[in-house]
Amino acid sequence: MNKYRFLFAGGGTGGHLFPAIAVADKIKQLKPEAEILFVGTKGKIEATVVPALGYDFKPIWISGFSRKSIKDNLLLPLRVIVSLIQSVLISMKFKPRVAIGSGGYVSGPAIWGASVMGAKILLIEQNSYPGVTTKILERYAAEIYLGFADAEKYLRDKSKLKVTGNPVRESLKVIEKSEALKKFGLSADKKTVIILGGSLGAMMVNKVIAGKLNYFKSLGLQVIWQTGKIYYDRYKDLKEEGVWIGAFIDGMDNAYSACDFVIARAGATTIAELTALGIASILIPSPNVAENHQYYNAKSLVDKNAAVLLEEKNIEKEFDQAVSSLLVEPGNLETIRSSCKELGKVNAAEIIAKNAIKFAEEL
């Protein structure tokens, strides 16, 4: 039996999924014979993205705690039990030697099931404040890879921790700007801003952007606006010359290559991509996350003059100033790009992949 068998579990959002994909891609590059299986949930981003990339995918019946539906929460204990059984059965059949959890509620049962079947457990924690799943699974892990050094103080066993930065996809590379702009139907003669709200979207960010399209036009800016799938139907009719609108951007290398700066949430994966490529940004941390960790993610850049911070509570009154600080102040855009690039850790995926392979060979 092939000893290079790796199970990945993580998803719900791109922030949990894409770091896992980056590591899986690197394992495949280093060991083409490796067998890789992703475990996730139906109806979430991983269910479409993972198969499209050519990886095997198995869904389990799990969901997170719902703040909106009491009915859904009544089913939660049953979902947990079923997902634990499904996870053990999946690992019994697949027989992973190493299981890698990248966060999100799906990784809890899937990684536990792999540990029961004897797999070595590795965890990827993207944020400055570790998620609940990472804290629960910490006891099973051989190593935990951290995107931010700030996360160390929240985890118990320091001997397991390695600050690698967050994995980014190796395919994420800058291409010729004019060619990238053509893919969005935009001109090479104007500056371009990308608005990213995450794979699901950001309600307040989208609402403000909808009212700022004329402001962008007055500054001579073109717009690439990723609304997230929840909000696409609400804003799709605002598309016009110089404004591209989509629910999801398929091929972020094109978008990053096309832009002069980014307006985005401060998710860990977004920050890892911005620093890897050296892209200036205005970061709007989501206030709806555990321990306000996106604010601290953003601060890690802002304190090094590698981004502009715009808190959501101030977004309407300070938005124009944040944009003009990048475009009007001489040299500021280039200074922030340079500072951002200096923070990039581009080899995280390789470090984690090589360690995963080492563990597979030792078993």
Side-chain angles (χ1 to χ4, degrees):
M1 179 179 288
N2 187 349
K3 64 183 175 182
Y4 299 112
R5 302 173 70 82
F6 303 91
L7 182 146
F8 286 83
T13 66
H16 289 305
L17 177 63
F18 291 121
I21 289 173
V23 175
D25 287 349
K26 179 54 71 172
I27 288 174
K28 266 295 191 182
Q29 181 183 339
L30 296 171
K31 294 290 180 183
E33 70 271 31
E35 296 179 43
I36 292 173
L37 174 67
F38 278 79
V39 177
T41 53
K42 289 181 179 178
K44 296 295 184 180
I45 184 173
E46 61 267 26
T48 53
V49 171
V50 169
L53 292 172
Y55 291 113
D56 291 335
F57 176 77
K58 291 285 186 183
I60 59 175
W61 193 51
I62 185 66
S63 64
F65 182 82
S66 174
R67 293 179 175 86
K68 298 179 181 179
S69 173
I70 295 174
K71 181 182 177 182
D72 285 347
N73 289 333
L74 292 175
L75 284 173
L76 186 57
L78 178 60
R79 288 178 184 270
V80 170
I81 293 169
V82 171
S83 67
L84 289 171
I85 295 170
Q86 288 176 312
S87 296
V88 171
L89 292 174
I90 288 170
S91 285
M92 283 178 67
K93 184 175 182 180
F94 183 66
K95 296 180 175 58
R97 293 174 74 89
V98 177
I100 302 167
S102 59
Y105 51 79
V106 69
S107 65
I111 295 301
W112 176 84
S115 72
V116 167
M117 298 309 299
K120 278 286 186 183
I121 304 301
L122 307 179
L123 301 179
I124 301 170
E125 175 49 61
Q126 298 94 345
N127 291 301
S128 55
Y129 184 84
V132 173
T133 308
T134 297
K135 290 181 177 180
I136 292 172
L137 294 174
E138 179 184 3
R139 70 181 72 178
Y140 304 108
E143 291 183 345
I144 303 174
Y145 304 101
L146 304 179
F148 295 89
D150 288 347
E152 288 181 306
K153 59 179 174 276
Y154 301 108
L155 296 167
R156 294 187 297 273
D157 190 344
K158 310 305 181 191
S159 67
K160 296 180 177 181
L161 309 181
K162 296 183 181 294
V163 181
T164 58
N166 281 307
V168 294
R169 292 161 285 169
E170 198 166 79
S171 60
L172 195 70
K173 294 179 179 177
V174 174
I175 63 172
E176 178 63 37
K177 185 174 183 178
S178 59
E179 289 302 310
L181 285 163
K182 284 180 184 178
K183 296 179 184 295
F184 297 95
L186 299 176
S187 169
D189 300 324
K190 295 181 178 180
K191 281 187 165 59
T192 303
V193 58
I194 301 177
I195 292 89
L196 301 174
S199 56
L200 300 179
M203 180 176 69
M204 190 62 176
V205 173
N206 281 326
K207 179 183 175 183
V208 169
I209 295 302
K212 293 293 181 181
L213 294 180
N214 286 332
Y215 172 65
F216 288 140
K217 189 182 294 186
S218 74
L219 295 174
L221 280 172
Q222 301 175 121
V223 177
I224 298 171
W225 180 9
Q226 181 243 311
T227 62
K229 66 178 182 180
I230 296 173
Y231 302 104
Y232 176 67
D233 287 341
R234 186 182 304 178
Y235 297 110
K236 64 182 180 181
D237 292 337
L238 296 177
K239 187 181 297 184
E240 59 178 320
E241 185 178 352
V243 178
W244 182 95
I245 300 176
F248 186 75
I249 297 175
D250 184 17
M252 282 303 301
D253 51 344
N254 294 323
Y256 285 140
S257 299
C259 80
D260 291 273
F261 68 100
V262 171
I263 298 172
R265 288 301 200 193
T269 298
T270 297
I271 286 180
E273 293 176 346
L274 294 176
T275 55
L277 299 177
I279 297 174
S281 63
I282 297 171
L283 298 175
I284 308 172
S286 171
N288 308 309
V289 294
E291 299 297 320
N292 202 24
H293 69 253
Q294 284 204 9
Y295 174 81
Y296 295 104
N297 290 353
K299 281 283 286 178
S300 69
L301 269 67
V302 174
D303 289 347
K304 299 288 197 317
N305 195 30
V308 174
L309 175 64
L310 177 59
E311 293 189 69
E312 186 168 297
K313 64 184 179 183
N314 302 322
I315 190 171
E316 293 183 308
K317 65 179 180 181
E318 295 182 4
F319 185 89
D320 291 6
Q321 173 58 33
V323 173
S324 65
S325 73
L326 284 178
L327 296 178
V328 177
E329 296 176 24
N332 201 27
L333 191 63
E334 191 54 47
T335 297
I336 288 178
R337 283 176 183 154
S338 178
S339 299
C340 186
K341 183 70 172 176
E342 288 177 7
L343 296 177
K345 295 181 179 180
V346 297
N347 62 343
E350 183 174 5
I351 291 170
I352 299 170
K354 285 183 175 178
N355 286 355
I357 291 168
K358 179 191 69 176
F359 280 116
E361 291 171 341
E362 288 175 353
L363 283 174

